[in-house]
Amino acid sequence: MNTHLIKSLALGALLAASPVYAAEYVIDTEGAHASILFRVNHLGFSWVTGRLEKFSGSFNYDAADPNSSSVTITIDAASVNTNQAERDKHLRSSEFLDVSTYPEITFVSTSYKTNGDGSGVLKGDLSLHGVTKPVTIDVTRVGEGDDPWGGYRAGFEGTAELKLKEFGIDYNLGPMAETIYMDFNIEGVRQ
Amino acid sequence: MAVKLKLKNDDDCYGWPIISLHWLMAVAVFGLYFLGLYIIDMSYYDPNYKTLPHWHRSLGMIMLFALGLRLLCRCVDRAPRALPGHGHATRLLTKTAHALLYLLMLTALLSGYVMSSADGHAVAVFNWFSVPALPIEMHHQADRAGMLHYWSSTALIALSCLHALAALKHHFIDKDSTLTRILGIKRETP
C-alpha cells in the first residue's frame, strides 16, 4: 500500500465515523429565543422566579447520533434579575453569587444519553460561585427544523436541580429555599 | 451666661432654626449610620428584617428634607462672625470641613434614596407618604448607589467625629465660644 492509499482509507474511515448531519448550533441569545430562568421557594408560601439575562453558548447535536451531543454555556452572574433591584443587589453581593470574585457561571456537558424519544439525560459540570460540581439535567427536545428565514434551528428544554449550600452559598433563606431549580430554554441556530 | 434663642443668626450666635437642625442631624447621622450597620448584619429570619430598613429609609428621607431646609437657612441667613481668636488657617479649615460635612450628608442621603428607588420603586416614608423614584435609571443602580451610600456615610461619620473633637478642643482648650454659640448660649463677656 502506498501512502496515498493509506491517507484515502484514513479519510474514508473518518468520514464514516463522523455523523452525517453533525452540526454546531449557536444558542440564539441575540434574538432572545433562549432563556435561563430559576425558581426558589419563598418560606414555603410561593416561588420567587428570576432570570440570568446574559449568557452565550453553543451545542453540537445530530438527530441520527444524539448520544454525541454536547453543550457549553457561559452566564454573566451579574445579570441576575428577580425584578426587585435591592434583592438583585443582595444576590450579586458576597453573601450570594459574589459576582466581583466569580463573574461567570459555566456549564460544560460531559455526556448525553438519549431515551430514544427525543428526550435524554445530560450530564455536565456546573461552575457556580467558584465551585464546580457535576449536575444531571433531564432534557427534552422541543423541536427542530427549518425556520422561515432560511436557517435551521433546534431547541431543547431542561431543568437542573441544585443546592446552593453545595456551591458554597450558605445564606439562610430557610429550609424551603435550599433547592434552586434552573430552567433552561435553549434554541440554537445551525451554523 | 444666658440662653438666648433668636430666629436669625447674629454676629455671635446661631438662631434657633439652625441650632435645632444642627442637633437633630447630629443625632440622625450617628443613629442612621449604626442602624444601617445593624441592618446589613440582620439575618433573613430576624423579626425586624422588614421594619428596620423601612424606618431607616423613612428617617433618611425626612433627614433629606431637613437638610434641604438647613441649606435654605444657610442661604438666606448669614453665618455668625468668625471668632477673633481664629487665625486664617483655622477659618479655612473650618469652612472646608463644614462644606464637606454638607456635601457628605447630601451624598449619603441622595445615594440612599437612589438605591432604594432603583427600578422605579417609590420610597415610602412611614406609610405616611411616598417619594416617587427619579425618572432616570442607571445600570445596576442599586449596587452603585449602595457602594456610594456606604462609603459616603462612613466618611461622614469620620468627619463628624473630627468635627466634634474640634468643638471640644475649642471649648476646653482654647476656651472660646465655638461650642456655646451652636448651643444658643451667649456669654456675657465674649
Side-chain angles (χ1 to χ4, degrees), chain A residues 29 34-36 51-55 75-76 78-82:
Chain A
T29 45
S35 55
I36 301 171
R51 328 165 47 100
L52 291 152
E53 307 268 14
K54 279 192 203 158
F55 61 96
I75 304 166
D76 174 9
S79 72
V80 62
N81 179 4
T82 64

Side-chain angles (χ1 to χ4, degrees), chain B residues 22-88:
Chain B
H22 171 269
W23 291 106
L24 186 79
M25 284 185 184
V27 174
V29 162
F30 281 89
L32 284 174
Y33 186 72
F34 290 105
L35 179 57
L37 289 184
Y38 182 80
I39 286 169
I40 293 174
D41 281 338
M42 263 196 302
S43 78
Y44 196 60
Y45 278 79
D46 195 301
N48 298 316
Y49 189 81
K50 293 187 81 65
T51 44
L52 289 185
H54 176 56
W55 290 356
H56 182 88
R57 287 191 201 101
S58 301
L59 290 167
M61 291 311 291
I62 289 170
M63 193 179 157
L64 182 58
F65 297 131
L67 181 65
L69 195 64
R70 187 167 168 193
L71 290 170
L72 191 72
C73 288
R74 285 297 302 253
C75 288
V76 299
D77 203 0
R78 62 185 172 147
R81 272 188 320 211
L83 293 171
H86 292 183
H88 199 70

Side-chain angles (χ1 to χ4, degrees), chain A residues 42-43 54 78-81 83-86 88-90 92-93 95 171-176, chain B residues 40-45 49 57 115-119 121 139-147:
Chain A
H42 181 237
L43 302 171
K54 279 192 203 158
S79 72
V80 62
N81 179 4
N83 199 28
Q84 219 275 9
E86 288 189 273
D88 295 341
K89 168 178 175 282
H90 198 188
R92 283 189 283 267
S93 78
E95 287 187 314
Y171 189 94
N172 181 21
L173 290 171
M176 294 304 288
Chain B
I40 293 174
D41 281 338
M42 263 196 302
S43 78
Y44 196 60
Y45 278 79
Y49 189 81
R57 287 191 201 101
M115 166 168 66
S116 299
S117 66
D119 270 2
H121 282 276
H139 182 61
H140 287 176
Q141 179 169 322
D143 309 53
R144 290 169 177 209
M147 284 297 280

Side-chain angles (χ1 to χ4, degrees), chain A residues 26-84:
Chain A
V26 169
I27 297 171
D28 187 16
T29 45
E30 197 186 336
H33 296 117
S35 55
I36 301 171
L37 315 171
F38 61 87
R39 290 172 277 139
V40 185
N41 196 289
H42 181 237
L43 302 171
F45 305 133
S46 181
W47 293 92
V48 171
T49 62
R51 328 165 47 100
L52 291 152
E53 307 268 14
K54 279 192 203 158
F55 61 96
S56 60
S58 59
F59 58 85
N60 286 293
Y61 165 72
D62 168 18
D65 182 19
N67 286 337
S68 70
S69 301
S70 63
V71 57
T72 303
I73 298 174
T74 304
I75 304 166
D76 174 9
S79 72
V80 62
N81 179 4
T82 64
N83 199 28
Q84 219 275 9

Side-chain angles (χ1 to χ4, degrees), chain B residues 7 76 90 106 110 118 142 150 166:
Chain B
L7 180 63
V76 299
T90 309
L106 198 62
L110 281 177
Y150 178 77

Side-chain angles (χ1 to χ4, degrees), chain A residues 61 63 66-67 112-121 138-144 156:
Chain A
Y61 165 72
N67 286 337
Y112 181 76
K113 198 157 172 50
T114 180
N115 297 333
D117 57 354
S119 69
V121 179
D138 287 317
V139 171
T140 305
R141 185 181 61 186
V142 180
E144 75 167 299
F156 301 84

